[in-house]
Amino acid sequence: MRHKPCLTADEVAEIAAACRAAANYLGIPVTIVISDDGGHLLRLERLDARASTLEPAIGKAHTAALARNLTSALAERVQTMPGLLTLGLTPIGGGVPLMMGGDCVGAIGVSGGTPQQDEEIATAGARLVSKFMPQ
């Protein structure tokens, strides 16, 4: 039987805190979503962001988890493969998978800034995953 890592509640809280700090540093009110490897919600934080940021943040986390890729990379692929839009994905920058070794353990979706700002905020949280890897 294969065993794979998964995030603890404390690790999810640390990741969210790093994203929050990056959003505060940039002065951008965003919604931050952290999902498990199946794209299911583990944590949602709305930092004085518009209500319209909720669904995109959820969609970005879901998409990054399922695709095991940055949503910005999918946004580029949609240009040549518009059929991807029919799969229910959110190919807009701001979704970052959380990879531990070769395993996806979750994803972060951020919405409220530009796609580049959202990705920068999500990446701030994703950087912590290597800290959680077993030694």
Side-chain angles (χ1 to χ4, degrees):
M1 178 178 288
R2 182 178 187 273
H3 297 276
K4 69 174 250 180
C6 65
L7 295 170
T8 67
D10 289 341
E11 291 165 345
V12 170
E14 277 191 63
I15 291 167
C19 292
R20 223 179 15 259
N24 289 336
Y25 176 78
L26 294 172
I28 302 170
V30 297
T31 295
I32 300 163
V33 169
I34 301 173
S35 75
D36 65 12
D37 63 327
H40 304 100
L41 190 70
L42 292 175
R43 188 176 188 111
L44 184 149
E45 293 190 15
R46 186 170 155 204
L47 310 178
D48 297 325
R50 300 176 312 278
S52 61
T53 62
L54 291 170
E55 291 302 320
I58 293 168
K60 290 175 185 184
H62 184 257
T63 299
L66 295 181
R68 275 52 173 168
N69 203 350
L70 297 170
T71 54
S72 59
L74 291 176
E76 294 170 13
R77 290 187 60 199
V78 166
Q79 302 301 318
T80 58
M81 300 173 62
L84 287 174
L85 294 174
T86 65
L87 300 176
L89 302 176
T90 306
I92 303 166
V96 175
L98 299 173
M99 303 301 291
M100 191 174 285
D103 293 308
C104 179
V105 295
I108 304 170
V110 176
S111 182
T114 66
Q116 294 80 14
Q117 291 168 326
D118 292 348
E119 187 170 308
E120 181 178 343
I121 293 165
T123 299
R127 283 190 198 105
L128 288 181
V129 173
S130 63
K131 169 185 166 183
F132 306 135
M133 288 184 69
Q135 302 300 323

